[in-house]
Amino acid sequence: MSAANAPRASITWDEGAILAIDQRGLPHEYRELRLENVDQLITAIKSLAVRGAPAIGLAGALGVAQSAHRHCGDGRWDEPAVRADAERIAAARPTAVNLAWAVRRVLDRLSEGPQAVLAEAVAMLDEDITVNSAAVARAVELVESVTPARPLRLLTHCNTGRLATAAVGTALGAIVELAARGRVAEVLVDETRPLLQGARLTAWELDEAGIPYRLCIDSAAAAAMSRGLVDCVLVGADRIASNGDTANKIGTYGLAVAAARHGIPFVVVAPESTWDERLAEGSGIVIEERSAAEVTGWNGTLNAPVDAKAYNPAFDVTPAELITAIVTEQRAFRPGHPVGPDRRTVALSERISGLLEEFPDHPTPGVVFRDLSGLYAEPGLLAAMAARVADAFRGRYDRVLAVEARGFVLGSAIAMHAGVPLTLARKAGKLPGAVHSASHALESGKDELELRERSIDPGDRVLCVDDVLATGGTLGAAAELTEACGAEVAGMAVVVELTGLGGAERLAPHKTVSLCEVSV
């Protein structure tokens, strides 16, 4: 990307100070904040001068670096004081997981000194641009796949553009890219009460980009959907639970309910850092409640009785089943369609079953060979299989181990879909250097698998992948090789399981996912 085309930064580091756009002044006043200490930073985050989950995470990381430099002198520095500042920064806004995540990440460099902390924080600024650019590209591809082939009427909530990130944006970044492709007819921008971040910030960014928009009263969004004015809803996220339940700006849940009622795609765009794998589901997300003054008045004018109380949660949680897809830099996750005995899984299984070919007495008499070639020749089927397996084990694995030879196909697709490393287990005699070996029985004889030493890092969580599960010998050997490297078996995945041969039972207690079962 040339300097002329590079996205404009919303937050930067400047000789010990954090520079950020003061979002309180927009849209009528553009001003830049110069935050020179941790107290100023925390005030800026709490007052929403700096806001947006990725942006406050980046600001928090720079704040820790600022503290590390401030508490360093005469060759010594006060690590407890830096950690105390880090705790205060992380607690400034409790719902957005990016803030605590970013603070933890730079603290991991604290033992190396202040310059290492700063280097990590500055690297995160560039990384945020790369990550969000990748998420935008995936989101655009997904939106185009689930919407009509014409300029679209889009609806968005709150602000998820460059103001909320280092430069690119998430959901609004996807809208800007769709507009650049000529795919946007109009954007309906929810006001996003009580602080009007849609009306003040998103409208300002769309105006800046020259994209047609209209402000939408929050309570009118469902009516707009009922009148056919919306083709797709695009929003961001502040925290995503392990099952896909998503916390975002208050009002998002209502939009998801209305979109589901009218059959409109509801897409969340957020970086992987927004996932909180420690939370099984959304009820565990802490919802920040803000001052009643944000509701009872505006810009210094009181609109309600002096003693009026207010219910003013900053966020709500949208259940996973209402979300069409959560798109990150690594994947497009369909949380409403998990692996399991649901309609989509049954349909995939039937699709696979219909494309299998059986060859009796091959390679030896009494053995039935199942040929999967027809599956891989079917457009889109391999991607669907990979997505289903990747989602079934989401957050549980760091690497894919694929077994020679037919396991290479699905294993490669899963690794690409999930954005994780791929390691290949080969048959005996094919690998150079020192290897780990494991022999195993086949339905038609015996074989041996090998893996180069140190090809899997100790502690890795490894998903073992093959094409067909019969007696479980091959995948059992893959598990043995994984453990020989000091790694952990995260689970097993196959395209077809031949039931009745005891393979799944042999692999217990490992979780095993098969996309199609065939009785033998």
Side-chain angles (χ1 to χ4, degrees), residues 398-399 401 436 451-462 477-490:
D398 310 303
R399 180 184 298 269
L401 176 64
H436 296 293
L451 193 64
R452 290 192 64 188
E453 293 182 1
R454 296 184 296 278
S455 60
I456 295 177
D457 295 331
D460 272 0
R461 300 171 301 168
V462 180
E480 186 178 332
L481 294 174
T482 298
E483 291 165 351
C485 293
E488 171 190 345
V489 178

Side-chain angles (χ1 to χ4, degrees), residues 29 51 61 227 281 319 366 398 484:
E29 182 182 359
R51 51 146 297 281
R227 294 183 57 195
E281 40 86 25
D398 310 303

Side-chain angles (χ1 to χ4, degrees), residues 229-472:
L229 300 179
V230 180
D231 296 310
C232 184
V233 180
L234 282 153
V235 299
D238 288 84
R239 189 182 295 250
I240 305 171
S242 181
N243 71 335
D245 291 351
T246 298
N248 194 51
K249 179 67 179 180
I250 187 70
T252 305
Y253 177 29
L255 291 178
V257 171
R261 168 66 179 82
H262 297 289
I264 296 169
F266 186 93
V267 178
V268 175
V269 187
E272 283 284 331
S273 58
T274 306
W275 289 92
D276 187 350
E277 297 291 352
R278 299 168 301 175
L279 291 177
E281 40 86 25
S283 65
I285 298 175
V286 176
I287 299 298
E288 172 190 352
E289 292 213 26
R290 298 185 60 83
S291 168
E294 294 176 348
V295 178
T296 58
W298 174 252
N299 201 24
T301 300
L302 189 65
N303 298 326
V306 174
D307 58 352
K309 295 180 173 58
Y311 173 57
N312 186 20
F315 306 94
D316 56 26
V317 176
T318 299
E321 62 265 22
L322 296 178
I323 298 172
T324 304
I326 300 173
V327 183
T328 74
E329 70 273 20
Q330 294 183 6
R331 54 198 163 131
F333 170 58
R334 304 278 186 128
H337 307 287
V339 173
D342 61 7
R343 177 180 56 81
R344 288 169 57 88
T345 302
V346 170
L348 182 61
S349 176
E350 291 175 347
R351 222 175 143 194
I352 293 169
S353 179
L355 292 168
L356 286 175
E357 286 189 87
E358 296 186 352
F359 293 87
D361 299 322
H362 181 83
T364 59
V367 174
V368 178
F369 181 81
R370 275 85 180 178
D371 185 25
L372 277 62
S373 302
L375 279 63
Y376 305 136
E378 182 77 3
L381 182 54
L382 177 59
M385 293 191 297
R388 195 63 56 87
V389 173
D391 288 348
F393 289 96
R394 184 176 57 77
R396 300 186 181 188
Y397 63 106
D398 310 303
R399 180 184 298 269
V400 172
L401 176 64
V403 175
E404 187 174 0
R406 297 189 298 171
F408 289 178
V409 182
L410 180 60
S412 299
I414 294 169
M416 181 178 294
H417 179 89
V420 300
L422 172 69
T423 300
L424 305 179
R426 303 298 305 274
K427 294 181 179 178
K430 293 190 176 182
L431 291 173
V435 298
H436 296 293
S437 299
S439 60
H440 59 98
L442 296 173
E443 193 181 7
S444 56
K446 291 186 177 181
D447 210 340
E448 189 172 5
L449 282 182
E450 292 183 344
L451 193 64
R452 290 192 64 188
E453 293 182 1
R454 296 184 296 278
S455 60
I456 295 177
D457 295 331
D460 272 0
R461 300 171 301 168
V462 180
L463 176 62
C464 301
V465 179
D466 201 1
D467 61 336
V468 176
L469 171 59
T471 63

